[in-house]
């Protein structure tokens, strides 16, 4: 499906985008899918330590600026900053990312599992930070199924956005920490949501997703998440893109408290 501008198809009729990819039709500009490919390649290089942190930062900044400019030039997809802040406070902008669960499933008593200090997306050797909220399901036998009903638990998009990259090939024994993951870029917030430790993934790079749309089913993929000492959970991270195009982690805890719940 082609779009009139980068967001024409999204805005006309709301776009039921379960399988749609949005692209820029101007041949002088990169397609949105090209940015997705660039991001996927870059993140893989970072994970495999095939690129220096400085080079990774430069490439990442270029991708993020290109995405932002593409959305600015090709669609009226804007929300006034005051309206956006109001939406965040009331939770009307956000969907809770686990179907059938509430904020009581967030690790700790007040989301204190979040540790943003020391985070470096571009140096895979840096350890110790945890700029994310872990949201746990009831899965005592660790079979990836909800003990309450014996069914998989759906992971839902917190906001609308473009799926930038996914990983589906994680295998037990791999040292990669995120397991099967999904990166979604929200052009309204100009930020990235990262959903990690998934089992089965249902979206593809270049696909537009709506808030509350199913992205994946919760799993135990990832070096630490696979271990029996780790309860089954979603690892949710949000990175706010700064004016220089580089990411800064932000705690999504308050958004989760007021997000719309899905049965």
């Amino acid at each position: 499906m082609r779009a009139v501008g980068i967001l024409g198809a999204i805005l006309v009729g709301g776009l039921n985008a379960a399988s749609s990819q949005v692209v820029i039709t101007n041949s002088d500009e990169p397609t949105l899918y090209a940015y997705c490919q660039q991001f996927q390649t870059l993140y893989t290089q970072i994970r495999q330590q095939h690129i220096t942190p400085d080079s990774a930062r430069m490439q990442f900044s270029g991708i993020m600026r290109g995405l932002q400019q593409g959305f600015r030039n090709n669609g009226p997809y804007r929300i006034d900053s005051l309206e956006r802040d109001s939406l965040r406070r009331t939770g009307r902008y956000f969907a809770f990312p686990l179907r059938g669960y509430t904020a009581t499933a967030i690790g700790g008593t007040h989301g204190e599992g979040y540790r943003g200090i020391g985070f470096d997306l571009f140096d895979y050797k840096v350890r110790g930070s945890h700029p994310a909220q872990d949201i746990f399901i009831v899965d005592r036998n660790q079979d990836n199924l909800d003990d309450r009903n014996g069914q998989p638990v759906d992971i839902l998009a917190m906001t609308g956005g473009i799926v930038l990259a996914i990983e589906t090939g994680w295998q037990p024994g791999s040292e990669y920490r995120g397991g099967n993951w999904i990166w979604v870029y929200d052009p309204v917030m100009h930020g990235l949501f990262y959903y990690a430790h998934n089992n089965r993934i249902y979206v593809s790079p270049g696909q537009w997703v709506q808030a509350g749309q199913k992205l994946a089913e919760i799993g135990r993929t990832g070096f630490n998440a696979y271990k029996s000492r780790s309860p089954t959970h979603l690892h949710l991270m949000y990175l706010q893109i700064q004016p220089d195009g580089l990411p800064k982690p932000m705690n999504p805890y308050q958004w989760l408290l007021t997000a719309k719940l899905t049965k």
Side-chain angles (χ1 to χ4, degrees), residues 88-111:
R88 289 176 178 177
R89 287 194 300 271
T90 62
R92 289 185 293 116
Y93 188 70
F94 300 99
F96 196 78
L98 287 188
R99 188 187 304 276
Y101 281 80
T102 71
T104 60
I106 301 172
T109 54
H110 299 290

Side-chain angles (χ1 to χ4, degrees), residues 72 116 146 163 182 202 234:
R72 282 178 174 173
D146 192 327
V163 178
I182 303 168
Y202 287 84
L234 166 67

Side-chain angles (χ1 to χ4, degrees), residues 143-254:
D143 62 355
N144 296 329
L145 302 177
D146 192 327
D147 290 348
R148 302 172 303 177
N149 57 24
Q151 298 298 314
V153 176
D154 292 341
I155 295 173
L156 311 176
M158 275 200 74
T159 72
I162 293 294
V163 178
L164 276 188
I166 63 172
E167 172 62 60
T168 60
W170 189 88
Q171 296 292 329
S174 170
E175 295 185 358
Y176 295 138
R177 300 191 295 272
N180 292 332
W181 41 255
I182 303 168
W183 284 97
V184 177
Y185 171 71
D186 179 337
V188 174
M189 297 177 66
H190 189 39
L192 295 169
F193 285 90
Y194 174 71
Y195 307 81
H197 307 324
N198 309 296
N199 186 18
R200 185 176 179 184
I201 291 176
Y202 287 84
V203 292
S204 303
Q207 179 179 337
W208 178 267
V209 294
Q210 307 282 5
Q213 181 174 331
K214 181 175 179 177
L215 302 176
E217 291 173 355
I218 202 166
R220 302 181 52 79
T221 61
F223 181 70
N224 289 319
Y226 184 71
K227 297 177 180 178
S228 59
R229 62 178 171 80
S230 177
T232 307
H233 66 280
L234 166 67
H235 177 92
L236 175 74
M237 177 172 66
Y238 176 74
L239 302 179
Q240 183 63 57
I241 306 304
Q242 303 301 293
D244 61 2
L246 296 178
K248 178 181 179 180
M250 288 183 61
N251 191 346
Y253 182 68
Q254 293 300 322

